[in-house]
Amino acid sequence: MPHTKRRRLVTIAVAVSLGATALAACGSSDDDSKTESGPVSLTYWTWTPGMDKVVDLWNKGPGKKDQITVTVKKQASGDTLVTKILTAHKAKKAPDLVQAEYQALPTLVSNDALADISKEVGDAKSKFADGVWQQTTLGTDAVYAVPQDIGPMMFYYREDLFKKYGLKVPTTWEQFAETARALKKKAPDTDLTTFSAADSGQFAGLAQQAGAQWWTTSGDKWKVAINDAATQKVAKFWGGLVKEGVIDNQPMYTPAWNKALDTGKQIAWVSAVWAPGTLSTAAPDTKGKWAMAPLPQWSLDQDVTGSWGGSSTAVTTDSQHQAAAAKFAAWLNTDGSALSALAKEGGIYPASTSAQLSGAFTNPPAYFSNQPDFYTKVADIAKTTAPSAWGPNVNVAYTSFKDAFGAAAKNKSDFVAALNTMQDDTVADMKKQGFGVSQ
């Protein structure tokens, strides 16, 4: 097999299916894990706001003691950064450390761009929820990154308008649909929420909550199940509400959407822990009028949420100082002072479970001053995050989602047909890249 990415992901597949440690040879070498001696300079690519101030704490404290200096290089996020990392790696010039979204990790690993740092950071596992830690191991004994922030999903609603219209906060998706219908009858010009075909991450999180496993391994091949029963259930649910006309079908993060939230034309939002920051900009006039509750469930006996967003700190295979880089990555995402600074300067919600109840999260976001227990509830919800299953071409799947579901939402046509298109596009791309795919 000529493609490094195929060999790499096949190795992962074997490790997952056999519970083996076959990845050890693909990560850092024995020399990499030796104690660094003498001054070490590391470069860190990240998009988190204020990261330079957080890194200053390291450089003046633990880093100074260990003679390890880290320099921050601000980058764009998303696919733009992934592409830049891979381009640099081909030239063997990737930085020592990179910030990577969880769904990007399989792509970076398949291109042999990330080192296995399990020997250096393995004991950090206890500081994270199992579902979060799993995203950085890809289901193997290797560790490809240290979790930084997470995006557990929840339900946001206008508390005052729910009271005005006599609505109850839905605890199941069936109740959510009934609430949308009840609101439309009482206020025909008002929508409970919108389905945004521009936000694949939201849909992926909802599918995750329903039990979807979009990418898994079978023997030495990948199995793609984007149109599995769980995701079909989610697609049928939202497609039905759009076709029925009881929710809007317009994208989020537009001037029109902002206005709808700010004027009470849309009174709820299925979002994640970072929503307060978005709402404060999109709907400034409604500060103190929103409340947060757990995501509706598919059945009353369930207590699970999906994830929308989140990232990690990884060490590249190009780094000449992988042990030192791993040491910094662990400090950045487990040390109390570092996490408090990340929350203050970067506005992140930490993956570390202990940090979620730290001083930085004693008080609610200013926008939610009416809900004093905001972060206490968030911490409880975060514990229920379902495990994810990302693959090597998430970007292709997401692009297909936007195209296929964009047309379906606009035309109020079959969402399951759009889901099948997403499945077919993803499988075709994987085969084109040389991955083994089982049917």
Side-chain angles (χ1 to χ4, degrees):
M1 298 177 189
H3 299 296
T4 301
K5 65 178 69 176
R6 182 174 182 183
R7 293 198 306 270
R8 184 70 164 175
L9 265 293
V10 166
T11 305
I12 291 176
V14 173
V16 171
S17 61
L18 301 180
T21 57
L23 284 166
C26 300
S28 56
S29 67
D30 292 338
D31 290 339
D32 294 327
S33 59
K34 290 179 180 178
T35 304
E36 300 283 354
S37 59
V40 172
S41 296
L42 306 174
T43 302
Y44 178 27
W45 285 3
T46 174
W47 66 83
T48 299
M51 184 61 81
D52 53 340
K53 296 180 180 179
V54 182
V55 171
D56 278 345
L57 297 177
W58 166 266
N59 290 335
K60 295 175 182 178
K64 185 175 182 180
K65 179 182 178 182
D66 295 333
Q67 297 186 328
I68 302 171
T69 302
V70 178
T71 300
V72 170
K73 297 291 184 181
K74 199 70 176 290
Q75 306 292 329
S77 59
D79 291 342
T80 301
L81 179 55
V82 173
T83 300
K84 187 173 182 178
I85 293 169
L86 293 178
T87 300
H89 173 61
K90 287 180 181 179
K92 301 299 180 184
K93 293 182 178 180
D96 300 278
L97 296 132
V98 294
Q99 182 176 358
E101 293 177 294
Y102 296 116
Q103 68 266 24
L105 291 176
T107 299
L108 294 171
V109 171
S110 72
N111 283 276
D112 200 25
L114 301 185
D116 173 10
I117 53 175
S118 55
K119 292 181 180 179
E120 291 80 20
V121 304
D123 58 351
K125 178 180 179 180
S126 62
K127 299 183 181 296
F128 304 95
D130 289 343
V132 174
W133 185 255
Q134 172 263 340
Q135 293 195 80
T136 65
T137 67
L138 307 186
T140 72
D141 291 332
V143 178
Y144 294 105
V146 182
Q148 181 167 298
D149 60 303
I150 56 174
M153 297 180 73
M154 47 210 68
F155 179 70
Y156 294 87
Y157 63 100
R158 279 285 298 274
E159 198 170 26
D160 58 333
L161 295 183
F162 262 59
K163 185 176 181 180
K164 174 183 176 180
Y165 295 124
L167 305 175
K168 293 183 178 180
V169 179
T171 56
T172 66
W173 287 114
E174 182 180 355
Q175 291 175 8
F176 180 93
E178 292 170 353
T179 301
R181 296 183 185 109
L183 174 63
K184 186 57 70 172
K185 287 182 180 179
K186 295 179 179 180
D189 294 333
T190 303
D191 292 298
L192 180 63
T193 191
T194 188
F195 177 84
S196 175
D199 290 276
S200 43
Q202 182 193 46
F203 183 78
L206 292 171
Q208 179 186 349
Q209 185 213 19
Q213 295 282 302
W214 284 0
W215 284 271
T216 55
T217 54
S218 177
D220 62 351
K221 295 183 178 181
W222 283 92
K223 182 178 181 181
V224 184
I226 291 174
N227 61 348
D228 64 3
T231 311
Q232 285 194 35
K233 179 169 63 175
V234 175
K236 287 177 182 177
F237 177 81
W238 288 94
L241 294 180
V242 168
K243 188 174 183 178
E244 196 176 336
V246 294
I247 64 171
D248 198 6
N249 61 346
Q250 301 302 310
M252 298 183 286
Y253 310 117
T254 64
W257 181 73
N258 292 347
K259 184 177 180 180
L261 292 179
D262 209 26
T263 59
K265 292 299 182 182
Q266 276 187 33
I267 67 170
W269 184 25
V270 174
S271 190
V273 65
W274 41 260
T278 301
L279 289 171
S280 64
T281 301
D285 294 339
T286 60
K287 178 181 178 180
K289 297 180 179 180
W290 290 78
M292 178 271 289
L295 210 59
Q297 303 293 309
W298 286 105
S299 62
L300 285 172
D301 61 345
Q302 287 184 317
D303 184 16
V304 63
T305 193
S307 181
W308 184 6
S311 63
S312 63
T313 309
V315 176
T316 71
T317 50
D318 291 343
S319 174
Q320 299 300 306
H321 307 286
Q322 291 178 14
K327 192 170 188 176
F328 167 77
W331 172 87
L332 179 65
N333 299 303
T334 63
D335 180 81
S337 60
L339 291 166
S340 293
L342 276 172
K344 178 183 177 182
E345 304 294 343
I348 72 154
Y349 185 71
S352 166
T353 52
S354 60
Q356 292 166 9
L357 296 175
S358 67
F361 300 98
T362 301
N363 299 315
Y367 194 87
F368 280 80
S369 58
N370 55 306
Q371 192 169 7
D373 64 345
F374 181 90
Y375 280 121
T376 302
K377 280 190 173 183
V378 169
D380 289 337
I381 292 171
K383 295 175 185 176
T384 70
T385 303
S388 63
W390 301 115
N393 63 339
V394 174
N395 59 324
V396 172
Y398 277 12
T399 298
S400 180
F401 169 85
K402 292 176 183 178
D403 292 341
F405 277 82
K410 181 180 179 180
N411 301 326
K412 297 186 177 181
S413 58
D414 187 4
F415 274 29
V416 174
L419 186 65
N420 290 334
T421 297
M422 188 178 168
Q423 165 80 11
D424 293 343
D425 288 348
T426 304
V427 170
D429 176 75
M430 289 183 70
K431 290 181 176 178
K432 181 179 179 181
Q433 291 192 60
F435 291 110
V437 181
S438 62
Q439 298 297 327

